[in-house]
Amino acid sequence: MSKPFKRILLTGAAGGLGRLLRDRIKPWADIVRLSDLADVGPAGEGEEVVQCDLADKAAVLALMEGVDAVLHFGGISTEAPFDAIMQANILGMANLYEAIHKCGVKRVVFASSNHTMGFYKTTDLVDADMPPRPDGMYGVSKVFGESLSRYYYDRFGIETVCLRIGSCFPEPANPRMMITYLSADDLVEALRCSLFAARVGHTIAFGVSDNKAKWWDDRKSRHLGFVAKDSSTQFEHKFPDSGNYAPADDITITFQGGGFLLTGPQYN
Amino acid sequence: MSKPFKRILLTGAAGGLGRLLRDRIKPWADIVRLSDLADVGPAGEGEEVVQCDLADKAAVLALMEGVDAVLHFGGISTEAPFDAIMQANILGMANLYEAIHKCGVKRVVFASSNHTMGFYKTTDLVDADMPPRPDGMYGVSKVFGESLSRYYYDRFGIETVCLRIGSCFPEPANPRMMITYLSADDLVEALRCSLFAARVGHTIAFGVSDNKAKWWDDRKSRHLGFVAKDSSTQFEHKFPDSGNYAPADDITITFQGGGFLLTGPQYN
Amino acid sequence: MSKPFKRILLTGAAGGLGRLLRDRIKPWADIVRLSDLADVGPAGEGEEVVQCDLADKAAVLALMEGVDAVLHFGGISTEAPFDAIMQANILGMANLYEAIHKCGVKRVVFASSNHTMGFYKTTDLVDADMPPRPDGMYGVSKVFGESLSRYYYDRFGIETVCLRIGSCFPEPANPRMMITYLSADDLVEALRCSLFAARVGHTIAFGVSDNKAKWWDDRKSRHLGFVAKDSSTQFEHKFPDSGNYAPADDITITFQGGGFLLTGPQYN
Amino acid sequence: MSKPFKRILLTGAAGGLGRLLRDRIKPWADIVRLSDLADVGPAGEGEEVVQCDLADKAAVLALMEGVDAVLHFGGISTEAPFDAIMQANILGMANLYEAIHKCGVKRVVFASSNHTMGFYKTTDLVDADMPPRPDGMYGVSKVFGESLSRYYYDRFGIETVCLRIGSCFPEPANPRMMITYLSADDLVEALRCSLFAARVGHTIAFGVSDNKAKWWDDRKSRHLGFVAKDSSTQFEHKFPDSGNYAPADDITITFQGGGFLLTGPQYN
Amino acid sequence: MSKPFKRILLTGAAGGLGRLLRDRIKPWADIVRLSDLADVGPAGEGEEVVQCDLADKAAVLALMEGVDAVLHFGGISTEAPFDAIMQANILGMANLYEAIHKCGVKRVVFASSNHTMGFYKTTDLVDADMPPRPDGMYGVSKVFGESLSRYYYDRFGIETVCLRIGSCFPEPANPRMMITYLSADDLVEALRCSLFAARVGHTIAFGVSDNKAKWWDDRKSRHLGFVAKDSSTQFEHKFPDSGNYAPADDITITFQGGGFLLTGPQYN
Amino acid sequence: MSKPFKRILLTGAAGGLGRLLRDRIKPWADIVRLSDLADVGPAGEGEEVVQCDLADKAAVLALMEGVDAVLHFGGISTEAPFDAIMQANILGMANLYEAIHKCGVKRVVFASSNHTMGFYKTTDLVDADMPPRPDGMYGVSKVFGESLSRYYYDRFGIETVCLRIGSCFPEPANPRMMITYLSADDLVEALRCSLFAARVGHTIAFGVSDNKAKWWDDRKSRHLGFVAKDSSTQFEHKFPDSGNYAPADDITITFQGGGFLLTGPQYN
């Protein structure tokens, strides 16, 4: 029996989330095309491997051939010197959507980030229509990507879900991640909903599990049908209650971006 | 022991929802008065049957005598020639509220429709205060009904819950109904809450089960106490994931109204 | 030199505003077609006169032939028995838009009314996106018209400006009209803007002069370019300051609808 | 092993909620300092007892010494003559925050009340940013407290959670309390979250269990991580459905404040 | 010819604004009753002078006898020790409204203050429905007054305009006052509108001239009909452009409250 | 007498707006440093000329030395191949703010564009907090700039006014520009306000004259004190009323971006 898509492209396949997704997305397409600048290992069954620098426009155009849908997890996923971010996340994004447009791809999931909003306070509730408040050059590059994909939807009808991913790790490494935790299963379900909803237009959604504390109000993306099943509550014992409040001038506790707030931008 | 009401009037008792409700509402009133233009069969125990054309003012006034509360499911419930809609849903509604006013009825549930809002996009989240966007003459007639009942509340204090009913069928017949599905049990519970809440003023509520994907934000009617128990999730297997997106110009996928978008208005 | 339109249809030409507009709109069209149920007198130069009952579908269709744009001032403009309102303002409106659709008319100005909002308080500020609060069956019929024209725009792209007209009289007759006053010149300018703006989509605008006290926030229709030139301030001397407040239960002072609040609905 | 805080101050320890909390908060601090104007009985292990009139500035300053965090349940918790409310809830509150400021306390939970909002309608949904609508002098004094604590946060960085407590009784005593019910366990959890969240700034939160009917939208405080576990649903059988609606002029049913609406202010 | 009111009470008649108003309000009432704790000099024609401590309930009740409307400018109008503020602005306010209620006064203008909102940023736009952010105990006491008068309106129908007065001085003394400047004429006109508007309910309005830079969005009180005629623009030459920006930690420039931000609360 | 600033940097000095501003800004600084990639001609009195490629980080750092404030009009101001836009508007912007940060510049005016919002409809009213809807790669690059400058404000306190400039030409060249027209005098005044307001934080403002028709609601930047003096009304005669509506599929009339909507992105 044929699968929903003929070919899905997964960029950033060598990254942390890329490796996590590689097997999980196989049910969705006859062929999963895996791409990264780094080595993703040999192609398995139902896989194609294409090493590709997103900053190389011709290579990206070739990469897109025959693709039905794109899961864009490529690029740089942390604070870095701006030149690198610009090549990977800005030029790479522009090349990607040019290729998507030329090849007639209809649906994209863009791995955006909560760091587009990292300068909201930890006492704020953020939703998809509030102005961006990036917490570094990485976050700024993700705002660029959301804005670029908005344009491609408004002008050419290319549908994108910008998934502002929280903290997708096996378990929370600090109290902040109790709030931003996204389980692997919930990530996969969010992607599944984003790919198979009948219409998504240009949707900005928050990729986060059903944790007790919330910073993000995701009701504007409930048309996707994503309902988180997991919660960070199971890890509560790791972070016992404490009355040792962080100092008032510790911006990593005051603003949502956490540690990212201190790193960027990196001047060289 | 006496029941909460002495007499409830159910209009549209011969229709699909009317037949579904006939037995379910018996615990709420000593007598259920069943009305329709069509034949509703013989009156059972605790029932009264009154055949009535809502466009007949005198008949409607007679129909209302001795009634404590009204469940108004009468009228035309789909796209139709405007003359018919006008008689049933506009003149009928005006006659009904005139009679309600004259007879001192205090509480009404009006079966409104999601088609009052069918021209919002399938990527929009609609709430009770947003401007109407009807998807046909049927939807326009329901906006009329909501507006008329609002007036009767503001002017005369007659309390109405306008229940914008989703798709109340045994099971979803298409992917759209996975989002709009309202189970029979949830409908009955929504009616129960609407009738027995201490105050409802003029409330616009969305009658929909707890489906995963949502188009409607119903938090502004949580004073009713209605909490859906069912979900369309049990029918997911009927609609497997598919990457065959509808064409961009298929308005039935782009807007919430679905198939209704194509039918009305009907010129004859 | 030819005028902007070939033929404008003015309905309600025998009414108060119709008579006021008859000469003022001549510069906009080679021919002004004047219509009313009542007698509008003989056609002058550049005029056509068509007596027409809006409730007569065939007549309305004939009336629309060759028309470029419509100024719809026809129908009943005050509280009246519902049957009459239904024929004129509901069936008439449905007939009108059916004809507009069939004849390919592209632009309509619908004389709506502040009585769509008459049950907002006199201390409220109302804008175009707030839910309707009609103050009688007349107001309800105008909500119907706004909703119907919205549908025709969403479905067929027919552009309408719903102009919620305040009180267009030579001078304010009571203190309420100091707030709702619309001068004849300002009305004409609002119509001109509504007809000649490059795009109006479906716009709800408030037709009111630049009076000191305001109930209506019209900023959402500033794309029309209408800027009122007149003000009721010139009539201030007619209504000297008074400390004789109306009783608390005088709803005509508490709600925006004024005297209309007491008249409707009229049961016969 | 040491507890999160060295010393928590619980004011109002002799009151209904104070007695309920006395044992429940022990796990949070090495020492719980109990204070009231009334007798709280002898100090148990890990307890200190300080009788204190909050209107006595010097006494309050002494009371605060060595305190890490404050649970302020003191003062008058019902309608009363204004002189008494002023001494306890206004002067008391001012003295308390002066002492908090001088002693360097960093975190406070202030037992505010739904009566800050009691003049919203029972069909309204209230959230933390809506203007106060107190239902008596008691409610006005709580608005004062919220405003005062806001100032101390904006100016001095003292973090306060204003917990607008619903009806914290063993079980609902009337239908209104089915909506406002807060279980003891949920109260304790709300306090725990308020004390141990990394940052709370100045948060206004609603202390209410997960009841079916809701008047309060608490999403703006979800950064606290409070998720109610209990519900009034278990008490539904106590209040069977009834069609005997309260008269339209019964303000205790029309507005959220219930019985409080009728009591204050008390002139003597 | 008789004047609009028989007797207006002006409290705070010995204060800066009180003295300014004394003559200006004479056209509105046959008798102006002047009250203050301080000496207001001898009564002129059409004047009554009553020395009164607002903290003295019996005296306030006597003061109110025969009064139609109140302009409440009494109390403390700057940062001061809390005991003094409490007596004058809190107890005084409670006494005043108790007397207003008992004597059947129907309309009050309460001189509130921009310092209810002084902790909004100088880059914020504040409107009447935003949560209070007082900048000191004086501001907190004004929030109390607004809240108290709201209660008296919701419960007893006593109409109050809370006029958040900017800086009413002959001319701006610093750049901040270029934004907050209220001319004497504009103050008088705002009072006139507040007294003579047919209904004001409970209105919060901003008393500020038509200055170029604005912090306050007053559109929600346009039902009053107040339109400022003056502007601080005439004083521009006093404050030439300067690139010497205040240091980032100068809160008097960052927040709207200006110098008040540094003064309160005053502990003694 | 010394001028407000010692040295202002004007980038893009060879461009249309740069040339217009060159003389107009002289009163604001002892020295105006003029920069462009193109030739700006010889330095006049009180001028310094520095040819500089904004994509050259070292050159930009040198350019910034000794600068108090920046008027950033540099970069590409129309649709162009993305490589060029990226070098000038993205890398250039990053370099600029890195230099601004390193050199301690406190105030920047960034010439943003209405094309950040070009995909809002011509019937929409846009304000500064609404999500960006760029109409091409040029617009996307301006969103990047707004987002980058927001970050530099949130993280480092560098104040920027993003001025979304309308159409700053001697006169409107088409009907769209009747709405977007910004006179040279109004541009200069907007810059003056942006430079000399005591605090601007990160403000997004719309640079447009007081034209009759408006798409942009600029009230959230009224703290700047900018009040337009000019209007496009003087050019009304150039664009007589016309009933020749553009076809429904002409996106340049449907969306605010006008002709830009058709040009980008440019693939090479």
Side-chain angles (χ1 to χ4, degrees), chain F residues 68-79:
Chain F
D68 298 314
V70 177
L71 301 177
H72 180 43
F73 282 73
I76 290 178
S77 61
T78 187
E79 210 54 50

Side-chain angles (χ1 to χ4, degrees), chain A residues 239-245, chain D residues 1-8 25-31 68-69 192 195-196:
Chain A
F239 307 99
D241 289 338
S242 160
N244 289 325
Y245 303 120
Chain D
M1 197 189 99
S2 101
K3 296 175 179 175
F5 290 110
K6 226 179 81 182
R7 184 178 286 106
I8 286 181
I25 66 178
K26 283 196 172 176
W28 302 340
D30 298 335
I31 298 168
D68 298 314
R192 193 189 64 79
L195 282 177
F196 297 112

Side-chain angles (χ1 to χ4, degrees), chain C residues 243-245, chain E residues 3-10 28-33 63-71 100 103-109 158-159 195-196:
Chain C
N244 289 327
Y245 303 120
Chain E
K3 297 176 178 174
F5 291 111
K6 224 179 81 183
R7 185 178 283 105
I8 285 182
L9 169 64
L10 172 68
W28 304 339
D30 297 336
I31 298 169
V32 174
R33 183 174 290 171
L63 176 68
M64 201 62 67
E65 211 163 324
V67 166
D68 298 312
V70 178
L71 301 177
I100 283 167
C103 296
V105 175
K106 294 234 159 16
R107 183 70 55 92
V108 188
V109 183
I158 296 165
E159 295 192 298
L195 282 178
F196 297 111

Side-chain angles (χ1 to χ4, degrees), chain A residues 185-209:
Chain A
D185 283 0
D186 282 342
L187 171 61
V188 171
E189 174 65 3
L191 295 180
R192 193 188 66 79
C193 292
S194 299
L195 282 178
F196 297 111
R199 278 281 192 280
V200 300
H202 185 267
T203 295
I204 293 178
F206 292 86
V208 65
S209 287

Side-chain angles (χ1 to χ4, degrees), chain D residues 101 151-152 155 261 264 267-268, chain E residues 101 151-152 155 261 264 267:
Chain D
H101 181 209
Y151 167 69
Y152 271 87
R155 182 68 179 88
L261 292 159
Y267 304 143
N268 36 18
Chain E
H101 181 210
Y151 167 70
Y152 272 86
R155 183 69 179 87
L261 292 159
Y267 304 141

